Amino acid sequence: MYQITTATPALPAETQQRLQVWGAAARDAMAPNTQRAYATDSRAFALWGAAQGIATLPASAETVAAFLRAESADGKAVATVRRRAATISRMHKAAGMVSPCDDELVRLALKGIARNRGTDQKQAAGLTERDTLTIRARMGDSVKDARDLALVLAGRDLLGRASELVALTVADITATDDGPLVKLRRTKTSTDSATYYMGRDAAQAVASWLTRASITQGPVFQSLTKGGRATGRAICTRDVRRILKAVAVTARLQHGASISGHSLRVGMAQDLVAANVDVASVMQAGGWATSRMVARYTQNLSASRGAVARFYNR
């Protein structure tokens, strides 16, 4: 579990105990990326507070507002600054303290930062179905290539996050007459697993990879030795990003520089919307609780199919 860091020299024993209990509960309830974000944000706040000679737990609303403005001035994205505020709020609640982020001063500071900096976030490029055809055409026939192709195709069909794909095991895949069903734990939004469908091409790619790597149990996407043998250990989320960028470069995709661990998710969402799949179904396929991220992922597509575009293309 990544630890919350504070600039307070000594916390009361009761507060320390509350934080320890919270940390133990968070270890099971939160995704590793969320835990890592809390650790990163609390460390940044603690270092800033130490440099200013100011305690960060508890922190006043004035202190938090000043920190957030300093982070923005240092070039942090608006989304990062907002996440810092959310972490600070969670720190205080975990310690049984009132969150300073509920104060109007902090809210105004966040609004001011968003107004001055803008709120657009850099969007990961999507790996669409057309991209996968190019990738397959330019991919080799090694065991590594078999794994990487299976990762791309299965990751798209499952709209999988990197953390979800590395956690996928052979036991999570069940063959049916209609095609493979996959149990996936949407680690960012839910502690429960749900069942998702995987198409024929993805299923064949996964089966080919598992057969060639002699994998019958454990993680589906495993690291390889230099000789091309499966190690039995799952690849990590950084490996997913690295693999996707590598296949995009090999395929000479124009948007290869913007490929990230979210590109499989983004690309499939774009393809589903382009195929006129209703938003509710897209949300279910991706495990989204609201339509906000679907709209963000497909905003360029929506613009190209909007009223003005239809008018000129009539």
Short mmCIF file of all heavy atoms in Angstrom, two decimals, residues 247-311:
data_model
loop_
_atom_site.label_atom_id
_atom_site.label_comp_id
_atom_site.label_asym_id
_atom_site.label_seq_id
_atom_site.Cartn_x
_atom_site.Cartn_y
_atom_site.Cartn_z
N VAL A 247 3.96 -1.43 -31.21
CA VAL A 247 3.22 -1.96 -32.37
C VAL A 247 2.73 -0.82 -33.26
O VAL A 247 2.65 -0.96 -34.48
CB VAL A 247 2.04 -2.86 -31.94
CG1 VAL A 247 2.54 -4.10 -31.19
CG2 VAL A 247 1.01 -2.10 -31.13
N ALA A 248 2.43 0.33 -32.65
CA ALA A 248 2.00 1.49 -33.43
C ALA A 248 3.15 2.01 -34.29
O ALA A 248 2.95 2.40 -35.45
CB ALA A 248 1.48 2.59 -32.51
N VAL A 249 4.36 2.03 -33.72
CA VAL A 249 5.54 2.47 -34.47
C VAL A 249 5.84 1.50 -35.60
O VAL A 249 6.11 1.90 -36.74
CB VAL A 249 6.76 2.60 -33.53
CG1 VAL A 249 8.03 2.82 -34.34
CG2 VAL A 249 6.56 3.77 -32.57
N THR A 250 5.79 0.20 -35.30
CA THR A 250 6.05 -0.82 -36.32
C THR A 250 5.05 -0.71 -37.48
O THR A 250 5.40 -0.88 -38.65
CB THR A 250 5.98 -2.23 -35.71
OG1 THR A 250 6.96 -2.34 -34.68
CG2 THR A 250 6.24 -3.30 -36.76
N ALA A 251 3.80 -0.42 -37.13
CA ALA A 251 2.76 -0.28 -38.14
C ALA A 251 2.78 1.08 -38.82
O ALA A 251 1.99 1.33 -39.73
CB ALA A 251 1.38 -0.51 -37.51
N ARG A 252 3.64 1.96 -38.36
CA ARG A 252 3.79 3.31 -38.92
C ARG A 252 2.49 4.10 -38.86
O ARG A 252 2.12 4.82 -39.80
CB ARG A 252 4.30 3.26 -40.36
CG ARG A 252 5.62 2.53 -40.52
CD ARG A 252 6.19 2.73 -41.91
NE ARG A 252 7.35 1.87 -42.14
CZ ARG A 252 7.30 0.75 -42.85
NH1 ARG A 252 6.16 0.37 -43.39
NH2 ARG A 252 8.38 0.02 -43.02
N LEU A 253 1.79 3.98 -37.74
CA LEU A 253 0.56 4.74 -37.56
C LEU A 253 0.91 6.21 -37.36
O LEU A 253 1.82 6.55 -36.61
CB LEU A 253 -0.22 4.22 -36.35
CG LEU A 253 -0.67 2.76 -36.40
CD1 LEU A 253 -1.48 2.42 -35.14
CD2 LEU A 253 -1.49 2.48 -37.66
N GLN A 254 0.17 7.10 -38.00
CA GLN A 254 0.47 8.52 -37.92
C GLN A 254 0.33 9.05 -36.50
O GLN A 254 1.04 9.98 -36.11
CB GLN A 254 -0.45 9.30 -38.87
CG GLN A 254 -0.16 9.07 -40.34
CD GLN A 254 -1.02 9.92 -41.24
OE1 GLN A 254 -2.00 10.52 -40.80
NE2 GLN A 254 -0.66 10.00 -42.51
N HIS A 255 -0.60 8.49 -35.73
CA HIS A 255 -0.82 8.97 -34.38
C HIS A 255 -0.08 8.13 -33.35
O HIS A 255 -0.43 8.12 -32.18
CB HIS A 255 -2.32 8.96 -34.06
CG HIS A 255 -2.99 7.65 -34.37
ND1 HIS A 255 -3.28 7.27 -35.65
CD2 HIS A 255 -3.41 6.64 -33.58
CE1 HIS A 255 -3.86 6.07 -35.63
NE2 HIS A 255 -3.95 5.67 -34.38
N GLY A 256 0.97 7.44 -33.78
CA GLY A 256 1.72 6.56 -32.88
C GLY A 256 2.28 7.25 -31.65
O GLY A 256 2.34 6.65 -30.57
N ALA A 257 2.66 8.52 -31.79
CA ALA A 257 3.24 9.24 -30.65
C ALA A 257 2.22 9.49 -29.55
O ALA A 257 2.60 9.74 -28.40
CB ALA A 257 3.83 10.57 -31.13
N SER A 258 0.93 9.45 -29.88
CA SER A 258 -0.12 9.73 -28.89
C SER A 258 -0.76 8.47 -28.33
O SER A 258 -1.75 8.54 -27.62
CB SER A 258 -1.21 10.61 -29.54
OG SER A 258 -0.68 11.83 -29.99
N ILE A 259 -0.19 7.31 -28.65
CA ILE A 259 -0.73 6.05 -28.14
C ILE A 259 -0.38 5.90 -26.67
O ILE A 259 0.73 6.19 -26.24
CB ILE A 259 -0.17 4.86 -28.94
CG1 ILE A 259 -0.62 4.93 -30.39
CG2 ILE A 259 -0.58 3.53 -28.32
CD1 ILE A 259 -2.11 4.86 -30.59
N SER A 260 -1.34 5.44 -25.87
CA SER A 260 -1.12 5.22 -24.44
C SER A 260 -1.85 3.95 -24.01
O SER A 260 -2.45 3.26 -24.84
CB SER A 260 -1.62 6.42 -23.63
OG SER A 260 -3.04 6.37 -23.51
N GLY A 261 -1.81 3.68 -22.73
CA GLY A 261 -2.49 2.51 -22.20
C GLY A 261 -3.99 2.59 -22.35
O GLY A 261 -4.69 1.58 -22.24
N HIS A 262 -4.53 3.79 -22.62
CA HIS A 262 -5.97 3.97 -22.79
C HIS A 262 -6.40 3.87 -24.26
O HIS A 262 -7.60 3.95 -24.55
CB HIS A 262 -6.40 5.34 -22.24
CG HIS A 262 -6.87 5.29 -20.83
ND1 HIS A 262 -6.04 4.91 -19.79
CD2 HIS A 262 -8.06 5.56 -20.26
CE1 HIS A 262 -6.72 4.95 -18.67
NE2 HIS A 262 -7.94 5.34 -18.92
N SER A 263 -5.45 3.70 -25.17
CA SER A 263 -5.77 3.76 -26.60
C SER A 263 -6.71 2.65 -27.05
O SER A 263 -7.51 2.85 -27.97
CB SER A 263 -4.48 3.74 -27.42
OG SER A 263 -3.75 4.93 -27.22
N LEU A 264 -6.61 1.47 -26.43
CA LEU A 264 -7.51 0.38 -26.79
C LEU A 264 -8.94 0.74 -26.41
O LEU A 264 -9.89 0.52 -27.18
CB LEU A 264 -7.09 -0.90 -26.07
CG LEU A 264 -5.68 -1.41 -26.37
CD1 LEU A 264 -5.32 -2.58 -25.45
CD2 LEU A 264 -5.55 -1.82 -27.82
N ARG A 265 -9.09 1.30 -25.24
CA ARG A 265 -10.39 1.70 -24.71
C ARG A 265 -11.00 2.81 -25.55
O ARG A 265 -12.18 2.78 -25.91
CB ARG A 265 -10.16 2.15 -23.26
CG ARG A 265 -11.36 2.21 -22.37
CD ARG A 265 -10.85 2.26 -20.93
NE ARG A 265 -11.84 2.74 -20.00
CZ ARG A 265 -12.81 1.99 -19.49
NH1 ARG A 265 -12.94 0.75 -19.88
NH2 ARG A 265 -13.66 2.49 -18.62
N VAL A 266 -10.17 3.80 -25.87
CA VAL A 266 -10.64 4.94 -26.66
C VAL A 266 -11.04 4.49 -28.06
O VAL A 266 -12.12 4.86 -28.57
CB VAL A 266 -9.54 6.02 -26.75
CG1 VAL A 266 -9.96 7.14 -27.70
CG2 VAL A 266 -9.24 6.59 -25.37
N GLY A 267 -10.19 3.68 -28.69
CA GLY A 267 -10.46 3.25 -30.06
C GLY A 267 -11.73 2.45 -30.19
O GLY A 267 -12.51 2.66 -31.14
N MET A 268 -11.97 1.54 -29.26
CA MET A 268 -13.19 0.73 -29.35
C MET A 268 -14.42 1.58 -29.09
O MET A 268 -15.46 1.40 -29.75
CB MET A 268 -13.13 -0.44 -28.36
CG MET A 268 -14.22 -1.47 -28.59
SD MET A 268 -14.12 -2.17 -30.27
CE MET A 268 -15.34 -3.44 -30.20
N ALA A 269 -14.33 2.51 -28.15
CA ALA A 269 -15.46 3.41 -27.89
C ALA A 269 -15.79 4.21 -29.14
O ALA A 269 -16.96 4.40 -29.50
CB ALA A 269 -15.14 4.35 -26.72
N GLN A 270 -14.76 4.67 -29.84
CA GLN A 270 -14.98 5.43 -31.07
C GLN A 270 -15.63 4.56 -32.14
O GLN A 270 -16.55 5.00 -32.85
CB GLN A 270 -13.64 5.98 -31.58
CG GLN A 270 -13.05 7.06 -30.68
CD GLN A 270 -11.64 7.45 -31.07
OE1 GLN A 270 -10.96 6.72 -31.79
NE2 GLN A 270 -11.19 8.60 -30.60
N ASP A 271 -15.18 3.32 -32.26
CA ASP A 271 -15.75 2.41 -33.26
C ASP A 271 -17.21 2.09 -32.95
O ASP A 271 -18.05 1.99 -33.85
CB ASP A 271 -14.94 1.12 -33.34
CG ASP A 271 -13.64 1.29 -34.09
OD1 ASP A 271 -13.50 2.29 -34.82
OD2 ASP A 271 -12.75 0.43 -33.95
N LEU A 272 -17.52 1.91 -31.67
CA LEU A 272 -18.89 1.59 -31.28
C LEU A 272 -19.84 2.75 -31.59
O LEU A 272 -20.94 2.56 -32.11
CB LEU A 272 -18.95 1.24 -29.79
CG LEU A 272 -18.29 -0.07 -29.39
CD1 LEU A 272 -18.28 -0.22 -27.87
CD2 LEU A 272 -19.01 -1.26 -30.01
N VAL A 273 -19.40 3.96 -31.27
CA VAL A 273 -20.23 5.14 -31.55
C VAL A 273 -20.38 5.33 -33.06
O VAL A 273 -21.46 5.65 -33.55
CB VAL A 273 -19.62 6.40 -30.89
CG1 VAL A 273 -20.35 7.65 -31.35
CG2 VAL A 273 -19.69 6.28 -29.37
N ALA A 274 -19.30 5.11 -33.81
CA ALA A 274 -19.37 5.23 -35.27
C ALA A 274 -20.33 4.21 -35.87
O ALA A 274 -20.92 4.45 -36.93
CB ALA A 274 -17.98 5.05 -35.88
N ALA A 275 -20.49 3.07 -35.17
CA ALA A 275 -21.41 2.03 -35.65
C ALA A 275 -22.83 2.26 -35.14
O ALA A 275 -23.68 1.38 -35.28
CB ALA A 275 -20.91 0.66 -35.20
N ASN A 276 -23.06 3.44 -34.54
CA ASN A 276 -24.38 3.84 -34.04
C ASN A 276 -24.87 2.97 -32.88
O ASN A 276 -26.09 2.81 -32.68
CB ASN A 276 -25.43 3.82 -35.17
CG ASN A 276 -25.15 4.88 -36.22
OD1 ASN A 276 -24.80 6.02 -35.88
ND2 ASN A 276 -25.28 4.52 -37.48
N VAL A 277 -23.94 2.42 -32.11
CA VAL A 277 -24.33 1.72 -30.88
C VAL A 277 -24.77 2.77 -29.87
O VAL A 277 -24.12 3.82 -29.72
CB VAL A 277 -23.14 0.90 -30.32
CG1 VAL A 277 -23.50 0.26 -28.99
CG2 VAL A 277 -22.72 -0.16 -31.33
N ASP A 278 -25.87 2.53 -29.16
CA ASP A 278 -26.38 3.52 -28.22
C ASP A 278 -25.41 3.73 -27.06
O ASP A 278 -24.65 2.82 -26.68
CB ASP A 278 -27.75 3.11 -27.69
CG ASP A 278 -27.71 1.79 -26.94
OD1 ASP A 278 -27.77 0.73 -27.60
OD2 ASP A 278 -27.59 1.82 -25.71
N VAL A 279 -25.45 4.92 -26.50
CA VAL A 279 -24.50 5.30 -25.45
C VAL A 279 -24.60 4.39 -24.23
O VAL A 279 -23.58 4.03 -23.63
CB VAL A 279 -24.73 6.78 -25.03
CG1 VAL A 279 -23.86 7.13 -23.82
CG2 VAL A 279 -24.41 7.71 -26.19
N ALA A 280 -25.82 3.98 -23.86
CA ALA A 280 -25.99 3.11 -22.70
C ALA A 280 -25.24 1.79 -22.89
O ALA A 280 -24.60 1.28 -21.95
CB ALA A 280 -27.47 2.84 -22.46
N SER A 281 -25.27 1.25 -24.10
CA SER A 281 -24.56 0.00 -24.37
C SER A 281 -23.06 0.21 -24.36
O SER A 281 -22.30 -0.65 -23.90
CB SER A 281 -25.00 -0.57 -25.73
OG SER A 281 -26.36 -0.93 -25.71
N VAL A 282 -22.59 1.35 -24.85
CA VAL A 282 -21.16 1.65 -24.81
C VAL A 282 -20.70 1.79 -23.36
O VAL A 282 -19.63 1.29 -22.99
CB VAL A 282 -20.86 2.95 -25.59
CG1 VAL A 282 -19.38 3.30 -25.49
CG2 VAL A 282 -21.26 2.81 -27.05
N MET A 283 -21.52 2.44 -22.53
CA MET A 283 -21.19 2.57 -21.12
C MET A 283 -21.08 1.21 -20.45
O MET A 283 -20.16 0.96 -19.66
CB MET A 283 -22.25 3.42 -20.41
CG MET A 283 -22.23 4.89 -20.77
SD MET A 283 -23.70 5.78 -20.18
CE MET A 283 -23.66 5.40 -18.42
N GLN A 284 -22.00 0.30 -20.78
CA GLN A 284 -21.96 -1.04 -20.19
C GLN A 284 -20.71 -1.78 -20.64
O GLN A 284 -20.04 -2.45 -19.85
CB GLN A 284 -23.22 -1.80 -20.60
CG GLN A 284 -23.39 -3.16 -19.91
CD GLN A 284 -22.59 -4.27 -20.56
OE1 GLN A 284 -22.34 -4.24 -21.77
NE2 GLN A 284 -22.16 -5.25 -19.77
N ALA A 285 -20.37 -1.66 -21.92
CA ALA A 285 -19.21 -2.38 -22.45
C ALA A 285 -17.91 -1.91 -21.81
O ALA A 285 -16.99 -2.69 -21.61
CB ALA A 285 -19.15 -2.19 -23.97
N GLY A 286 -17.85 -0.62 -21.49
CA GLY A 286 -16.63 -0.07 -20.90
C GLY A 286 -16.66 0.05 -19.39
O GLY A 286 -15.68 0.49 -18.79
N GLY A 287 -17.77 -0.31 -18.77
CA GLY A 287 -17.87 -0.23 -17.33
C GLY A 287 -17.93 1.19 -16.80
O GLY A 287 -17.52 1.47 -15.68
N TRP A 288 -18.48 2.12 -17.60
CA TRP A 288 -18.61 3.52 -17.18
C TRP A 288 -19.92 3.73 -16.44
O TRP A 288 -20.97 3.21 -16.85
CB TRP A 288 -18.56 4.46 -18.38
CG TRP A 288 -17.20 4.63 -18.97
CD1 TRP A 288 -16.13 5.22 -18.39
CD2 TRP A 288 -16.78 4.22 -20.27
NE1 TRP A 288 -15.05 5.21 -19.24
CE2 TRP A 288 -15.41 4.60 -20.40
CE3 TRP A 288 -17.42 3.58 -21.33
CZ2 TRP A 288 -14.68 4.35 -21.56
CZ3 TRP A 288 -16.68 3.33 -22.49
CH2 TRP A 288 -15.34 3.71 -22.59
N ALA A 289 -19.89 4.50 -15.38
CA ALA A 289 -21.10 4.80 -14.63
C ALA A 289 -21.86 5.98 -15.22
O ALA A 289 -23.07 6.11 -15.02
CB ALA A 289 -20.75 5.10 -13.17
N THR A 290 -21.16 6.86 -15.94
CA THR A 290 -21.80 8.01 -16.58
C THR A 290 -21.34 8.08 -18.04
O THR A 290 -20.39 7.40 -18.44
CB THR A 290 -21.45 9.34 -15.88
OG1 THR A 290 -20.06 9.67 -16.14
CG2 THR A 290 -21.65 9.22 -14.37
N SER A 291 -21.99 8.94 -18.80
CA SER A 291 -21.66 9.08 -20.22
C SER A 291 -20.55 10.10 -20.46
O SER A 291 -20.16 10.33 -21.61
CB SER A 291 -22.90 9.49 -21.01
OG SER A 291 -23.39 10.74 -20.54
N ARG A 292 -20.02 10.72 -19.41
CA ARG A 292 -19.05 11.80 -19.58
C ARG A 292 -17.81 11.34 -20.33
O ARG A 292 -17.35 12.00 -21.27
CB ARG A 292 -18.65 12.37 -18.21
CG ARG A 292 -17.70 13.57 -18.30
CD ARG A 292 -17.44 14.15 -16.91
NE ARG A 292 -16.75 13.20 -16.07
CZ ARG A 292 -15.41 13.07 -16.04
NH1 ARG A 292 -14.66 13.81 -16.83
NH2 ARG A 292 -14.84 12.21 -15.24
N MET A 293 -17.22 10.20 -19.94
CA MET A 293 -16.00 9.74 -20.59
C MET A 293 -16.27 9.26 -22.01
O MET A 293 -15.42 9.45 -22.89
CB MET A 293 -15.36 8.62 -19.77
CG MET A 293 -14.80 9.08 -18.43
SD MET A 293 -13.68 10.51 -18.55
CE MET A 293 -12.37 9.83 -19.55
N VAL A 294 -17.43 8.68 -22.25
CA VAL A 294 -17.78 8.27 -23.61
C VAL A 294 -17.81 9.51 -24.51
O VAL A 294 -17.28 9.50 -25.63
CB VAL A 294 -19.14 7.55 -23.65
CG1 VAL A 294 -19.51 7.19 -25.08
CG2 VAL A 294 -19.10 6.30 -22.78
N ALA A 295 -18.42 10.57 -24.02
CA ALA A 295 -18.50 11.81 -24.79
C ALA A 295 -17.11 12.39 -25.04
O ALA A 295 -16.81 12.89 -26.14
CB ALA A 295 -19.37 12.82 -24.05
N ARG A 296 -16.25 12.32 -24.03
CA ARG A 296 -14.90 12.86 -24.19
C ARG A 296 -14.10 12.05 -25.20
O ARG A 296 -13.42 12.61 -26.07
CB ARG A 296 -14.18 12.86 -22.85
CG ARG A 296 -12.78 13.45 -22.93
CD ARG A 296 -12.05 13.32 -21.62
NE ARG A 296 -10.63 13.47 -21.86
CZ ARG A 296 -9.68 12.95 -21.08
NH1 ARG A 296 -10.01 12.23 -20.04
NH2 ARG A 296 -8.41 13.13 -21.36
N TYR A 297 -14.17 10.74 -25.11
CA TYR A 297 -13.41 9.88 -26.02
C TYR A 297 -13.85 10.05 -27.47
O TYR A 297 -13.06 9.86 -28.40
CB TYR A 297 -13.58 8.42 -25.63
CG TYR A 297 -12.80 8.00 -24.39
CD1 TYR A 297 -13.04 6.77 -23.79
CD2 TYR A 297 -11.83 8.82 -23.84
CE1 TYR A 297 -12.33 6.37 -22.66
CE2 TYR A 297 -11.12 8.44 -22.71
CZ TYR A 297 -11.37 7.21 -22.12
OH TYR A 297 -10.68 6.82 -21.02
N THR A 298 -15.12 10.38 -27.67
CA THR A 298 -15.66 10.41 -29.03
C THR A 298 -16.01 11.82 -29.48
O THR A 298 -16.76 11.99 -30.45
CB THR A 298 -16.91 9.52 -29.12
OG1 THR A 298 -17.92 10.00 -28.21
CG2 THR A 298 -16.59 8.08 -28.76
N GLN A 299 -15.46 12.84 -28.83
CA GLN A 299 -15.87 14.20 -29.13
C GLN A 299 -15.50 14.61 -30.56
O GLN A 299 -16.28 15.27 -31.25
CB GLN A 299 -15.26 15.18 -28.13
CG GLN A 299 -13.74 15.17 -28.04
CD GLN A 299 -13.23 16.07 -26.92
OE1 GLN A 299 -14.00 16.81 -26.30
NE2 GLN A 299 -11.94 16.00 -26.65
N ASN A 300 -14.31 14.20 -31.03
CA ASN A 300 -13.93 14.56 -32.40
C ASN A 300 -14.81 13.84 -33.42
O ASN A 300 -15.20 14.42 -34.44
CB ASN A 300 -12.46 14.20 -32.65
CG ASN A 300 -11.52 15.09 -31.86
OD1 ASN A 300 -11.89 16.19 -31.47
ND2 ASN A 300 -10.31 14.61 -31.62
N LEU A 301 -15.14 12.59 -33.13
CA LEU A 301 -16.02 11.83 -34.01
C LEU A 301 -17.40 12.46 -34.05
O LEU A 301 -18.01 12.60 -35.11
CB LEU A 301 -16.11 10.38 -33.52
CG LEU A 301 -17.06 9.46 -34.28
CD1 LEU A 301 -16.57 9.27 -35.70
CD2 LEU A 301 -17.16 8.11 -33.57
N SER A 302 -17.89 12.88 -32.87
CA SER A 302 -19.21 13.50 -32.80
C SER A 302 -19.25 14.79 -33.60
O SER A 302 -20.24 15.10 -34.27
CB SER A 302 -19.58 13.77 -31.34
OG SER A 302 -19.65 12.57 -30.60
N ALA A 303 -18.15 15.56 -33.55
CA ALA A 303 -18.11 16.82 -34.29
C ALA A 303 -18.16 16.56 -35.80
O ALA A 303 -18.85 17.26 -36.55
CB ALA A 303 -16.84 17.59 -33.94
N SER A 304 -17.43 15.54 -36.26
CA SER A 304 -17.39 15.24 -37.69
C SER A 304 -18.71 14.69 -38.21
O SER A 304 -18.94 14.64 -39.42
CB SER A 304 -16.26 14.25 -38.00
OG SER A 304 -16.52 13.00 -37.42
N ARG A 305 -19.57 14.26 -37.27
CA ARG A 305 -20.88 13.74 -37.69
C ARG A 305 -22.01 14.65 -37.24
O ARG A 305 -23.18 14.27 -37.29
CB ARG A 305 -21.09 12.34 -37.08
CG ARG A 305 -20.02 11.35 -37.49
CD ARG A 305 -20.18 10.05 -36.74
NE ARG A 305 -21.35 9.32 -37.15
CZ ARG A 305 -21.90 8.33 -36.45
NH1 ARG A 305 -21.39 7.99 -35.28
NH2 ARG A 305 -22.96 7.70 -36.89
N GLY A 306 -21.66 15.85 -36.78
CA GLY A 306 -22.64 16.77 -36.26
C GLY A 306 -23.47 17.46 -37.32
O GLY A 306 -23.36 17.18 -38.52
N ALA A 307 -24.31 18.40 -36.87
CA ALA A 307 -25.25 19.07 -37.76
C ALA A 307 -24.57 19.80 -38.90
O ALA A 307 -24.99 19.70 -40.07
CB ALA A 307 -26.11 20.03 -36.93
N VAL A 308 -23.50 20.56 -38.60
CA VAL A 308 -22.83 21.33 -39.65
C VAL A 308 -22.17 20.39 -40.66
O VAL A 308 -22.23 20.61 -41.88
CB VAL A 308 -21.78 22.28 -39.03
CG1 VAL A 308 -20.98 22.97 -40.12
CG2 VAL A 308 -22.48 23.31 -38.14
N ALA A 309 -21.53 19.31 -40.14
CA ALA A 309 -20.89 18.35 -41.04
C ALA A 309 -21.93 17.69 -41.95
O ALA A 309 -21.70 17.52 -43.16
CB ALA A 309 -20.14 17.29 -40.22
N ARG A 310 -23.07 17.35 -41.39
CA ARG A 310 -24.12 16.71 -42.21
C ARG A 310 -24.66 17.68 -43.26
O ARG A 310 -25.01 17.29 -44.36
CB ARG A 310 -25.27 16.20 -41.30
CG ARG A 310 -24.86 15.03 -40.42
CD ARG A 310 -26.08 14.26 -39.95
NE ARG A 310 -27.05 15.10 -39.26
CZ ARG A 310 -27.02 15.34 -37.95
NH1 ARG A 310 -26.07 14.81 -37.20
NH2 ARG A 310 -27.94 16.09 -37.41
N PHE A 311 -24.71 18.98 -42.89
CA PHE A 311 -25.22 19.99 -43.82
C PHE A 311 -24.32 20.07 -45.06
O PHE A 311 -24.79 20.07 -46.19
CB PHE A 311 -25.26 21.35 -43.13
CG PHE A 311 -25.59 22.50 -44.04
CD1 PHE A 311 -26.89 22.73 -44.45
CD2 PHE A 311 -24.59 23.32 -44.52
CE1 PHE A 311 -27.18 23.78 -45.31
CE2 PHE A 311 -24.85 24.37 -45.37
CZ PHE A 311 -26.17 24.60 -45.77
#
